[in-house]
PDB file of all heavy atoms in Angstrom:
ATOM      1  N   ARG B   9       0.300  14.743  11.245  1.00  0.00           N
ATOM      2  CA  ARG B   9       1.040  14.651  12.501  1.00  0.00           C
ATOM      3  C   ARG B   9       0.066  14.093  13.548  1.00  0.00           C
ATOM      4  O   ARG B   9      -0.896  14.771  13.919  1.00  0.00           O
ATOM      5  CB  ARG B   9       1.565  16.016  12.910  1.00  0.00           C
ATOM      6  CG  ARG B   9       2.570  16.612  11.923  1.00  0.00           C
ATOM      7  CD  ARG B   9       2.886  18.051  12.250  1.00  0.00           C
ATOM      8  NE  ARG B   9       1.675  18.885  12.204  1.00  0.00           N
ATOM      9  CZ  ARG B   9       1.649  20.175  12.524  1.00  0.00           C
ATOM     10  NH1 ARG B   9       2.764  20.781  12.913  1.00  0.00           N
ATOM     11  NH2 ARG B   9       0.519  20.863  12.460  1.00  0.00           N
ATOM     12  N   ILE B  10       0.324  12.874  13.976  1.00  0.00           N
ATOM     13  CA  ILE B  10      -0.647  12.148  14.803  1.00  0.00           C
ATOM     14  C   ILE B  10      -0.102  11.920  16.208  1.00  0.00           C
ATOM     15  O   ILE B  10       1.033  11.455  16.389  1.00  0.00           O
ATOM     16  CB  ILE B  10      -1.015  10.800  14.147  1.00  0.00           C
ATOM     17  CG1 ILE B  10      -1.707  11.062  12.800  1.00  0.00           C
ATOM     18  CG2 ILE B  10      -1.910   9.976  15.057  1.00  0.00           C
ATOM     19  CD1 ILE B  10      -2.047   9.810  12.027  1.00  0.00           C
ATOM     20  N   GLY B  11      -0.909  12.249  17.197  1.00  0.00           N
ATOM     21  CA  GLY B  11      -0.584  11.974  18.588  1.00  0.00           C
ATOM     22  C   GLY B  11      -1.411  10.811  19.091  1.00  0.00           C
ATOM     23  O   GLY B  11      -2.617  10.737  18.838  1.00  0.00           O
ATOM     24  N   CYS B  86       0.371  18.611  16.599  1.00  0.00           N
ATOM     25  CA  CYS B  86      -0.348  17.487  16.012  1.00  0.00           C
ATOM     26  C   CYS B  86      -1.518  17.997  15.183  1.00  0.00           C
ATOM     27  O   CYS B  86      -2.112  19.034  15.492  1.00  0.00           O
ATOM     28  CB  CYS B  86      -0.883  16.547  17.096  1.00  0.00           C
ATOM     29  SG  CYS B  86       0.381  15.709  18.069  1.00  0.00           S
ATOM     30  N   ASP B  87      -1.839  17.249  14.145  1.00  0.00           N
ATOM     31  CA  ASP B  87      -3.043  17.522  13.360  1.00  0.00           C
ATOM     32  C   ASP B  87      -4.222  16.706  13.885  1.00  0.00           C
ATOM     33  O   ASP B  87      -5.375  17.119  13.756  1.00  0.00           O
ATOM     34  CB  ASP B  87      -2.817  17.168  11.883  1.00  0.00           C
ATOM     35  CG  ASP B  87      -1.653  17.925  11.283  1.00  0.00           C
ATOM     36  OD1 ASP B  87      -1.645  19.168  11.402  1.00  0.00           O
ATOM     37  OD2 ASP B  87      -0.758  17.278  10.710  1.00  0.00           O
ATOM     38  N   LEU B  88      -3.900  15.560  14.456  1.00  0.00           N
ATOM     39  CA  LEU B  88      -4.940  14.635  14.903  1.00  0.00           C
ATOM     40  C   LEU B  88      -4.476  13.955  16.180  1.00  0.00           C
ATOM     41  O   LEU B  88      -3.310  13.579  16.311  1.00  0.00           O
ATOM     42  CB  LEU B  88      -5.228  13.592  13.807  1.00  0.00           C
ATOM     43  CG  LEU B  88      -6.331  12.577  14.048  1.00  0.00           C
ATOM     44  CD1 LEU B  88      -7.030  12.227  12.734  1.00  0.00           C
ATOM     45  CD2 LEU B  88      -5.786  11.304  14.687  1.00  0.00           C
ATOM     46  N   LEU B  89      -5.395  13.798  17.120  1.00  0.00           N
ATOM     47  CA  LEU B  89      -5.078  13.179  18.399  1.00  0.00           C
ATOM     48  C   LEU B  89      -6.025  12.017  18.641  1.00  0.00           C
ATOM     49  O   LEU B  89      -7.246  12.198  18.668  1.00  0.00           O
ATOM     50  CB  LEU B  89      -5.209  14.213  19.519  1.00  0.00           C
ATOM     51  CG  LEU B  89      -4.691  13.837  20.904  1.00  0.00           C
ATOM     52  CD1 LEU B  89      -3.197  13.561  20.878  1.00  0.00           C
ATOM     53  CD2 LEU B  89      -5.000  14.956  21.898  1.00  0.00           C
ATOM     54  N   ARG B 111      -7.899  17.727  15.198  1.00  0.00           N
ATOM     55  CA  ARG B 111      -8.947  16.709  15.045  1.00  0.00           C
ATOM     56  C   ARG B 111      -8.822  15.720  16.196  1.00  0.00           C
ATOM     57  O   ARG B 111      -7.724  15.213  16.474  1.00  0.00           O
ATOM     58  CB  ARG B 111      -8.803  15.989  13.714  1.00  0.00           C
ATOM     59  CG  ARG B 111      -8.730  16.912  12.510  1.00  0.00           C
ATOM     60  CD  ARG B 111     -10.076  17.508  12.173  1.00  0.00           C
ATOM     61  NE  ARG B 111     -10.921  16.553  11.457  1.00  0.00           N
ATOM     62  CZ  ARG B 111     -12.200  16.765  11.169  1.00  0.00           C
ATOM     63  NH1 ARG B 111     -12.783  17.884  11.571  1.00  0.00           N
ATOM     64  NH2 ARG B 111     -12.884  15.877  10.491  1.00  0.00           N
ATOM     65  N   CYS B 360      -7.878   7.035  11.177  1.00  0.00           N
ATOM     66  CA  CYS B 360      -7.135   8.286  11.302  1.00  0.00           C
ATOM     67  C   CYS B 360      -7.029   8.997   9.957  1.00  0.00           C
ATOM     68  O   CYS B 360      -7.237  10.229   9.851  1.00  0.00           O
ATOM     69  CB  CYS B 360      -5.735   8.019  11.856  1.00  0.00           C
ATOM     70  SG  CYS B 360      -5.688   7.486  13.588  1.00  0.00           S
TER      71      CYS B 360
END
Side-chain angles (χ1 to χ4, degrees):
R9 297 171 300 176
I10 297 177
C86 295
D87 302 307
L88 183 146
L89 190 62
R111 307 286 282 172
C360 291

